[in-house]
Amino acid sequence: MTTPPRSVARSPDDGRPGAALPALPSVAATTGSSLAVQVMTAVRRAITAGEMEPGRLYSVQQLASAMDVSRSPVREGLLRLGEAGLIRFHRNRGFEIVEVSPTDVAEIFAVRTALEVPAARRAARLAGPGELDRIRAQWQAMHEAARTGDLEATARADEALHRLLLLVAGNSQAVQLVERLRTTTAFLGVVAATTRRPVDELAREHDALVQAVLARDEEAAALAMREHLASTAQRLVAQALLAQRTPAERVEELTAQVWGAAAAGY
Amino acid sequence: MTTPPRSVARSPDDGRPGAALPALPSVAATTGSSLAVQVMTAVRRAITAGEMEPGRLYSVQQLASAMDVSRSPVREGLLRLGEAGLIRFHRNRGFEIVEVSPTDVAEIFAVRTALEVPAARRAARLAGPGELDRIRAQWQAMHEAARTGDLEATARADEALHRLLLLVAGNSQAVQLVERLRTTTAFLGVVAATTRRPVDELAREHDALVQAVLARDEEAAALAMREHLASTAQRLVAQALLAQRTPAERVEELTAQVWGAAAAGY
DNA sequence: CGCCGGTGGGTGACATGCTACCCACGGTGG
DNA sequence: CCACCGTGGGTAGCATGTCACCCACCGGCG
């Protein structure tokens, strides 16, 4: 697309360092944006898909040849991921996927609680008629997605609804921060987490929230947002505990403990 | 230092694009770390020093030759700054310093309020004896710096105290986020903002906060933190308004308005 | 058998060449 | 005089070469 080489098919084998990496989804999907962004997307997908795992060392060279691009955009994308805390570099040795601990998840949701509960309050107060319509529309879209059983679409609608409420609350800084936090927790596989319970339960959790905002009831909106986040947080903390081989019978107890410690006061 | 060239003294003139840029502080200071980090530091300094201004277009090539390094580390450093929202890239045209609007400042402090008020509450509850000692020590260090009239040291101690409280509250995610937010507002020149009032006023603002935490009075700590952030926010919003050539007689009114709108509900 | 210093492979960091692309400018035609 | 278009300078993005550095491995020495 840009310069002559490319599509030359990489050298048949490659790295001994971290084992062959399952060839990554060949980028493809994200065409259009810069290669660095495509690399970030591809790595994220590879992580959530379990194709790259914590504890193993990978290198820029390795990824570059696996994706048929040069080291520059790979390096650039990886550095951004590193800054976001998703990978960690070991000088002259490679980089490693950072494991998201249950405590991290709890802390992230504590922060989201601190930001989004007031945002819900403000949204209930500040939303104009047009914005209320958009909120209602987004909410209906989520129920629609849930009705067809489409997990991923439901999760996307969930995200969009949260973003919309933050926007209506009128704090673009908070919108950006929450966006960033979400990309971190996304690694746990929200989809996987919601699989256990029917998707329309996820959709229904928003009913009280949306109705409170539409009714302009600030306190009810704040409370609904708090409960929704707490419930999501506990699901994901449990997920993270399971990913750490926590014995199933202790998960419930530990989840309550971890989330309680992190959330108290927010 | 690394490869042969360097220190060859750049071509005598250089860019027409953004006018000659006052030669930047020649990096120097930050020796030791990577060149990309040195570039970030240098650019930050150049912005706060007014050597680079919003609205003008600069280029990687230009900065690279001005600093006698290649384009790679410059590009890398600038990309990081761009991700932090401090500069904006215009494809194939160059990059531009992003102006921080009064509204942005207000929103940032609204977010900080949402995060740090609960953190103060938690710190008052959770701090162990050793941590209380560290808080007290940091507080005294700030008063010491203020007594000698050292603006920059006082500001640093202020930062350290806030970071310490967030750490004691036990949420490392919040620590990172606040850190990032601070680097953005730093561009307004906290130093300049505090110059107008004696530094020990800044130090004294923390007295109620620290004493509440030491006394383990959660609500008093939360309230003190809220008031301190509101007062700092208003100072910086006013600063941002002045930077936008707002007529002096309207600053007070607009400050109250902007901050009130952004902070209500947090 | 255990320690220890040499050595080679692999990595991040930087320098540099190349290309597609965009915009401003100026000349040309109406 | 004004609209339009070709062209050239300048830029970001990507590819690739190079180097200092670090670590793991290994063979010899105590």
Side-chain angles (χ1 to χ4, degrees), chain B:
Chain B
M1 210 171 278
T2 38
T3 19
R6 189 75 68 82
S7 73
V8 215
R10 63 181 176 285
S11 55
D13 69 63
D14 66 75
R16 288 101 253 155
L21 357 142
L24 297 185
S26 65
V27 204
T30 336
T31 172
S33 38
S34 96
L35 285 184
V37 174
Q38 296 182 34
V39 169
M40 291 178 64
T41 307
V43 171
R44 271 203 272 254
R45 286 223 315 221
I47 295 177
T48 58
E51 297 169 5
M52 295 177 74
E53 50 188 33
R56 202 180 282 267
L57 281 180
Y58 302 91
S59 81
V60 171
Q61 174 81 50
Q62 181 189 10
L63 274 186
S65 59
M67 295 179 57
D68 260 344
V69 297
S70 84
R71 301 172 334 240
S72 302
V74 174
R75 173 179 159 78
E76 182 181 318
L78 289 177
L79 282 175
R80 285 204 225 174
L81 290 180
E83 206 181 355
L86 299 172
I87 63 181
R88 182 185 303 132
F89 280 84
H90 296 265
R91 173 158 186 115
N92 293 332
R93 295 199 47 207
F95 67 90
E96 177 193 13
I97 311 301
V98 172
E99 193 161 14
V100 182
S101 74
T103 304
D104 289 333
V105 176
E107 290 182 0
I108 287 174
F109 273 84
V111 170
R112 286 189 58 180
T113 301
L115 295 178
E116 297 198 55
V117 167
R121 208 189 325 263
R122 285 171 60 93
R125 185 181 344 161
L126 301 174
E131 290 168 329
L132 289 179
D133 285 345
R134 289 181 58 196
I135 291 171
R136 196 187 342 252
Q138 189 62 56
W139 174 50
Q140 287 167 350
M142 181 166 59
H143 270 291
E144 184 64 22
R147 201 177 53 74
T148 64
D150 187 338
L151 283 173
E152 204 174 331
T154 309
R156 271 202 308 272
D158 177 15
E159 284 184 30
L161 184 54
H162 280 261
R163 179 167 38 237
L164 186 52
L165 287 175
L166 281 165
L167 274 174
V168 171
N171 191 319
S172 57
Q173 298 290 330
V175 175
Q176 289 176 33
L177 289 184
V178 171
E179 206 77 18
R180 200 177 298 237
L181 290 174
R182 216 197 308 271
T183 65
T184 302
T185 51
F187 281 83
L188 290 170
V190 183
V191 175
T194 51
T195 313
R196 356 197 95 216
R197 302 174 178 267
V199 282
D200 52 46
E201 176 167 331
L202 174 61
R204 256 199 294 274
E205 275 191 19
H206 292 79
D207 288 2
L209 173 58
V210 171
Q211 279 161 13
V213 172
L214 293 181
R216 296 191 167 291
D217 183 339
E218 299 183 20
E219 290 315 312
L223 185 61
M225 178 65 91
R226 182 180 295 279
E227 286 177 351
H228 167 53
L229 286 174
S231 126
T232 305
Q234 289 177 6
R235 272 206 289 271
L236 288 180
V237 168
Q239 183 82 6
L241 283 168
L242 287 173
Q244 285 193 337
R245 303 171 214 78
T246 303
E249 71 271 17
R250 298 206 55 201
V251 167
E252 191 175 352
E253 168 201 352
L254 284 176
T255 296
Q257 185 178 325
V258 169
W259 170 243
Y266 283 98

